[in-house]
Amino acid sequence: MPAADTVLTGARVRTLDPARPEARAVALRDGGIVAVGDEADVRDWRGPGTEVIDLGGATLTPGLTDAHSHPVWGIEMATGTDLSAVRDLGQLSAALRAAERRHGWVTGHGLDHNVFGGRPVHRDLIEEALDGAPAFLRLYDGHSALASGAALAAAGITGPRAFAQRSEIACDGSGRPTGHLVEHAAMNLVGALVPKPSRAERRSRLVELLGDMAATGLTGAHVMDLGDGDVPALLSTVEYEGHLPLRLRLAPWCMPGADEEELAELIALQRLAGRHWQVGGVKFFMDGTVEGGTAWLEHADCHGRGTEAFWPDPRAYAGAVRALDAAGVRTATHAIGDAAVRYVLDTVAALGGQARMRHRIEHIETVPDDQLKRFAELGVIASMQPPHTAYTRADHSDEWSTRLGGDRARRAWRCRDLRDAGAVLALGSDWPIAHYDARHVLVTARSPLGAAAAGPALTGLMALEGMTSHAALAAGEERVAGRIAPGFRADLTAFALDPVTAGVDELAGAPVRLTVSGGRITHRGGEG
């Protein structure tokens, strides 16, 4: 019997394998798990070259996967000044005055809608602090930005425009652009002019970022974009020079207007893969965000917005999903509002018994009672990001809650309700919209969810499953990932304490003893 590369002992192993829920030791070879059991069960796997690691009573779980993240595109999104700590307009002005100007531009990210105190997002509120510099500030939701007058002029934006997708250049009553750019097509008009990191800088920052993610216990991520066309080449370069600390599964976007040729290209992209990355699935948008007024709602928000889908003709979306399903391609659809969620569920239902794949819905920030059970009935994966609730307030005074109104705000982020209804629930961070720390995802999933007072939080086991076994189901990888069992991938996370039974305050700062992705140790922590 060939020897194992690594043997892990002295652990409480939460396998999430119904055949053997707990163990004490695990043996790894060639990137896979070859033995799980007691110390005696792995003894014969030791050889002269085997590394034996005593975990000293740590809890070993299947490797954590962030089920919704943007680690490559996010490097561009998260450039410039971090504005996530800004709480009011005075702090925003101070941050912009102190901001670095790269090639004359001021850029920022993570700006909270609540900073504006209910006032319209308007460039007049920042111009004085910029002293004439062009500025492009991404709001935290990733679906809107604030551009200064100089930036609008550089992009030739003088008034409203029509787009093939639901996007908007916000204008005042006289047709003058306010600087508020809503959704991707509008944002890209200015964003394309902003100085970008060099290829070498992106490569360096990506490896550093993925290493930092691994230090929080992450072994993989479902990447909800393919970024620019050079991302496969970028990832291949990283693997040529070394190794990706996380296993990445990327889903390119399908935008409104996609024709048969574009769908064929998306299908062809599914063949792309490296040692530790692959293209797997396609990402759609059925709506935008509540704060931006672009979430598709069954009833308008408090500003009379939110009654339209991101796809001007939703039937074209349904046709694209049908074509991809027939080709054996999974889809993930961004759907925040209740009308958007319902339409995606209706689209999957229309596939009937002919559906080949399990499809997923991303975000699901507000959903009515009568839609909960449909997730399990249709086999649709619920993919949610509990850290998003950081932008809401328990008294419903935040922009998200006031836009929706009391009833819809009270049925928000219904993670536990979906689990209780039998849905598969995959959890993620949506970095850079929220912090990538896997422990923060687990903690927020188990905590009262901001404005979401609809029901109890997840149990510790449910939260862990959301980043392990349910994340594997969401990717169609349940036969190779999401549990600790012979024949499964050697993706493992070791915590200094038990993430299932530890209190949320303890878990938030719990040391991660070891992270293993594909049999390779990507993080080795201290005793803590």
Side-chain angles (χ1 to χ4, degrees), residues 265-279:
E265 291 175 358
L266 289 169
I267 293 167
L269 283 173
Q270 307 300 308
R271 298 193 297 265
L272 295 180
R275 291 196 310 271
H276 222 48
W277 66 273
Q278 68 178 105
V279 174

Side-chain angles (χ1 to χ4, degrees), residues 319-331:
V321 170
R322 186 165 53 250
L324 290 170
D325 179 83
V329 178
R330 290 170 174 260
T331 69

Side-chain angles (χ1 to χ4, degrees), residues 80-81 96 99-108 123 126-127 129-137 146-156 189-191 193-195:
T81 300
L96 295 179
E100 177 186 5
R101 283 157 168 73
R102 181 168 180 170
H103 301 293
W105 280 77
V106 173
T107 58
R123 60 189 175 90
I126 62 171
E127 296 287 11
L130 294 169
D131 195 26
F136 184 70
L137 312 178
L146 177 56
S148 69
L152 294 173
L189 296 175
V190 174
L193 306 178
V194 174

Side-chain angles (χ1 to χ4, degrees), residues 66-67 69-74 202 206 210 220-228 230-236 239 244 246-253 266 269-274 276-283 329-330 332 360 475 477:
D66 188 325
S69 186
H70 301 277
V72 187
W73 181 41
R202 288 172 68 209
L206 175 62
L210 296 180
H222 299 169
V223 182
M224 287 296 140
D225 67 87
L226 193 59
D228 294 330
D230 69 338
V231 168
L234 173 66
L235 297 177
S236 295
E239 290 198 317
L244 286 168
L246 264 66
R247 187 187 307 277
L248 304 179
R249 184 181 182 90
L250 302 102
W253 289 359
L266 289 169
L269 283 173
Q270 307 300 308
R271 298 193 297 265
L272 295 180
H276 222 48
W277 66 273
Q278 68 178 105
V279 174
V282 169
K283 168 79 177 295
V329 178
R330 290 170 174 260
R360 51 193 279 180
E477 297 180 334

Side-chain angles (χ1 to χ4, degrees), residues 15-22 483 485:
T15 67
L16 300 191
D17 179 10
R20 182 164 191 165
E22 294 202 11
R483 67 179 67 177

Side-chain angles (χ1 to χ4, degrees), residues 99-142:
E100 177 186 5
R101 283 157 168 73
R102 181 168 180 170
H103 301 293
W105 280 77
V106 173
T107 58
H109 60 95
L111 180 58
D112 189 345
H113 288 78
N114 292 309
V115 164
F116 297 92
R119 299 170 66 178
V121 177
H122 202 295
R123 60 189 175 90
D124 287 351
L125 301 174
I126 62 171
E127 296 287 11
E128 184 179 348
L130 294 169
D131 195 26
F136 184 70
L137 312 178
R138 292 182 183 272
L139 279 88
Y140 90 90
D141 61 3

Side-chain angles (χ1 to χ4, degrees), residues 408-493:
R408 285 184 296 208
R410 280 188 289 272
R411 49 180 165 87
W413 286 287
R414 301 180 72 173
C415 295
R416 180 61 181 268
D417 289 342
L418 282 161
R419 273 300 304 259
D420 288 347
V424 172
L425 176 65
L427 300 177
S429 69
D430 200 11
W431 187 87
I433 308 306
H435 201 279
Y436 55 74
D437 193 326
R439 294 163 299 186
H440 185 54
V441 177
L442 296 174
V443 165
T444 51
R446 293 174 53 189
S447 306
L449 298 179
L458 297 178
T459 67
L461 180 59
M462 288 175 175
L464 178 62
E465 289 170 341
M467 300 193 77
T468 54
S469 57
H470 284 223
L473 281 162
E477 297 180 334
E478 62 272 20
R479 291 184 175 86
V480 296
R483 67 179 67 177
I484 301 175
F488 278 60
R489 294 194 306 226
D491 295 347
L492 305 162
T493 303

